[in-house]
């Protein structure tokens, strides 16, 4: 394998490089989340960082990479061996990794052959004092993200499972990259990353030209290209080490503490984690630029990196800071910084980089250092403007939404992990042991199967004598995510009497529910003379919300076309992702006034609904008809679909108790 692309040779991405370098100086900042479109060198920049980290003193042979000076609590200790120097590691966590691979588990080989409880370290141990990189972190299973971020915040990993109780140091620079088009991280997980950076390809022709030149030169001669940038990388590495050394001496004046608190209060961020991250980042920024004291420029640079993902109040809010918002917040912060500290009886002079460990909601800090002189390199991280409506007969903004009741697919599936329908999965509670199917070894079942035959197999020592027929697998039951396909009637009858506004609000509520349950979503609309796929199935539910804002209404009601389009989309998705079960949600008043064949529109619609029912598609029909006189046409469509029919107002969990199980009983 050739040399990695040099960190110094990366063109642009100033914010990303600054965030990574600041975390390299002070790992206690909490890592970096890199958001960006595909093909923007996110992974290239992250992988290049490891070469800049200072070499480590480690205990020779220690599986946890312990520092010889503080190795007293190592599970492999006590250590009396020699120390050795090695480079910091870059450990990559695959999206499909298991919990055992991440945190470690019982060493089954020794347990079953020697009869001892031994711990096999995982990736968290391998990443200690290095970089842990998660590409496509938004696709990582939620329970793994929880474990990962807890360890990153606390600096330790705790394992309590299968008779093993182990705690070991796990201090690392956590970096996650993601493409927002493939789905978002939950807000509470976003908050656990210290800094966030949005990257996009430059639209400047000169910059793009230089990217092409450097990439082609690297591919032609990786070693030679790396050698040409070795001096610049070495200078950056030396600067990181110098900033780490001066970090503890950097003073955080009380005025700047009040400025930080004022800015965070102005953005109305939740909790105190944001204030602490901004403080640590500001100190790191000062250390990187060689200053002895934090100044306003350090706080502003820290705010740009630490607050964009923390100001979101809703899953569909765009991340980022608008310049006017930042200016207003910094102005408020300046007013607080100018306040007389003696006027507050609880305040007092404070210096240093951090609060005490008992006051830190993130857990104990490893006392590391802080990063770069990026006053000029913390460039635009502001979000894009919210998209407006598209041209058409009428554009309806979604009405205020409500808490949607849970819609589920019946039966037990085997789909992608999520939080909607029941499923057999690789995670979740163990329901039984099996010889045929399952995920992971069922230890008790295996030992129970082997135990009666130990005498017959001639066992004489402490270990067990096993045969292949003894092995049992764990059958687990958890929750799966589904493909939720919205089929929305956007005809003129729906647009009348502001009915579409209520429908839009209902769909947004269901989309928010899909976001929380990790579903894949798609949107089909029908109006005028046909149906269109407004949004092909995607994990990005905020993209669905954006398309909904651009929804055009008016014209006749080609209900049959909408259902047939849904059938084609579902058939395609069944081939692409056969394990993900679909849930069709049809929002209509049931009127059918247009047909492609020139026949009876309602008969064609019922025939199309029957085809979906024959495909065993779980469906829910939301009757959007209003007024005192109701024709009940949506109910006829629901009967043909073999689906549950709900009134629009019944989607609110606040008004209707219980859970709706869509389509037929399993």
């Amino acid at each position: 394998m050739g040399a990695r692309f040099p960190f110094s040779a990366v063109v642009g991405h100033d914010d990303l490089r600054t965030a990574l370098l600041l975390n390299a100086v002070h790992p206690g900042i909490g890592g970096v989340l890199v958001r960006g479109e595909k093909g923007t060198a996110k992974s290239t920049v992250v992988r290049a960082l490891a070469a800049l980290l200072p070499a480590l003193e480690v205990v020779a042979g220690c599986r946890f990479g312990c520092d010889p000076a503080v190795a007293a609590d190592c599970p492999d200790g006590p250590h009396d061996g020699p120390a050795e120097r090695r480079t910091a590691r870059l450990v990559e966590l695959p999206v499909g990794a298991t919990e055992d691979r991440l945190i470690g588990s019982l060493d089954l080989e020794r347990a079953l052959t020697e009869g001892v409880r031994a711990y096999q370290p995982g990736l968290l141990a391998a990443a200690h004092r290095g970089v842990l990189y998660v590409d496509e972190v938004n696709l990582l299973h939620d329970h793994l993200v929880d474990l990962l971020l807890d360890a990153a915040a606390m600096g330790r990993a705790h394992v309590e499972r299968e008779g093993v109780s182990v705690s070991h140091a796990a201090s690392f620079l956590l970096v996650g990259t993601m493409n927002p088009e493939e789905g978002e991280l939950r807000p509470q997980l976003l908050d656990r990353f210290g800094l966030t950076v949005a990257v996009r390809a430059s639209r400047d022709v000169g910059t793009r030209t230089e990217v092409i030149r450097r990439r082609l030169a690297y591919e032609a001669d990786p070693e030679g290209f790396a050698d040409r940038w070795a001096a610049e990388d070495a200078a950056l590495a030396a600067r990181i080490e110098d900033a780490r050394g001066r970090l503890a001496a950097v003073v955080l004046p009380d005025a700047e503490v009040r400025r930080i608190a004022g800015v965070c209060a102005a953005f109305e961020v939740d909790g105190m984690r944001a204030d602490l991250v901004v403080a640590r980042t500001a100190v790191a920024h000062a250390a990187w630029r060689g200053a002895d004291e934090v100044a306003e420029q350090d706080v502003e640079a820290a705010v740009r990196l630490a607050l964009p993902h923390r100001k979101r109040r809703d899953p569909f809010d765009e991340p980022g800071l608008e310049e006017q918002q930042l200016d207003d917040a910094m102005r408020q912060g300046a007013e607080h910084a100018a306040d007389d500290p003696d006027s507050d009886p609880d305040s007092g002079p404070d210096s240093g980089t951090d609060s005490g460990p008992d006051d830190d909601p993130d857990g104990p800090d490893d006392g590391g250092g802080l990063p770069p002189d990026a006053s000029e390199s913390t460039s635009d991280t502001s979000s894009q403007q919210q998209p407006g409506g598209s041209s058409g007969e009428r554009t309806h903004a979604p009405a205020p939404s409500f808490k949607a009741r849970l819609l589920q697919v019946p039966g037990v599936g085997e789909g992608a992990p999520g939080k909607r329908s029941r499923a057999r999965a690789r995670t979740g509670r163990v329901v039984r042991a099996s010889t045929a199917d399952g995920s992971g070894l069922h230890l008790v079942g295996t030992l129970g199967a082997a135990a009666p035959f130990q005498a017959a197999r001639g066992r004489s020592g402490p270990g067990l004598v096993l045969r292949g027929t003894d092995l049992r697998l764990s059958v687990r039951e958890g929750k799966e995510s589904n493909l939720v396909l919205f089929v929305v009637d956007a005809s003129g009858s729906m647009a009348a009497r502001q009915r579409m506004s209520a429908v839009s609000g209902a769909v947004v509520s269901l989309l928010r529910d899909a976001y929380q349950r990790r579903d894949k979503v798609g949107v089909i609309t029908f109006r005028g003379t046909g149906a269109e796929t407004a949004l092909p199935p995607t994990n990005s539910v905020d993209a669905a919300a954006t398309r909904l804002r651009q929804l055009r209404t008016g014209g006749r009601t080609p209900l049959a076309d909408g259902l047939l389009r849904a059938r084609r989309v579902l058939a395609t998705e069944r081939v692409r992702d056969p394990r993900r079960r679909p849930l069709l949600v049809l929002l209509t008043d049931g009127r059918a006034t247009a047909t492609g064949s020139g026949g009876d529109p309602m008969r064609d619609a019922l025939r199309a609904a029957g085809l979906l029912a024959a495909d065993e598609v779980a469906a829910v029909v939301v009757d959007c008809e209003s007024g005192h006189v109701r024709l009940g046409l949506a109910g006829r469509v629901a009967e043909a679909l073999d689906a549950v029919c709900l009134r629009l107002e019944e989607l609110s969990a606040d008004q209707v108790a219980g859970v709706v199980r869509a389509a037929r009983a399993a």
Side-chain angles (χ1 to χ4, degrees), residues 436-471:
D437 58 350
S439 176
L441 183 68
H442 193 291
L443 184 58
V444 175
T446 299
L447 297 179
F453 305 102
Q454 294 306 295
R457 294 172 183 175
R459 171 186 169 184
S460 59
L464 289 175
V465 180
L466 294 177
R467 299 286 186 265
T469 55
D470 299 330
L471 295 180

Side-chain angles (χ1 to χ4, degrees), residues 336-418:
H336 289 286
D339 288 344
D340 183 1
D342 293 334
S343 64
D344 184 353
D346 295 328
S347 67
D350 187 18
S351 63
T353 64
D354 225 330
S355 63
D358 293 337
D359 299 326
D360 185 356
D362 285 322
D365 189 12
D366 66 358
L370 309 194
D373 122 29
S375 55
E376 60 272 30
S377 57
T378 50
S379 58
D380 183 27
T381 59
S382 61
S383 65
Q384 298 179 354
Q385 296 295 321
Q386 290 282 351
S390 62
S391 60
E393 286 84 342
R394 187 178 303 171
T395 300
H396 293 270
S401 56
F402 47 74
K403 180 182 178 183
R405 64 188 290 183
L406 174 60
L407 307 177
Q408 289 184 316
V409 178
V412 180
E414 297 181 356

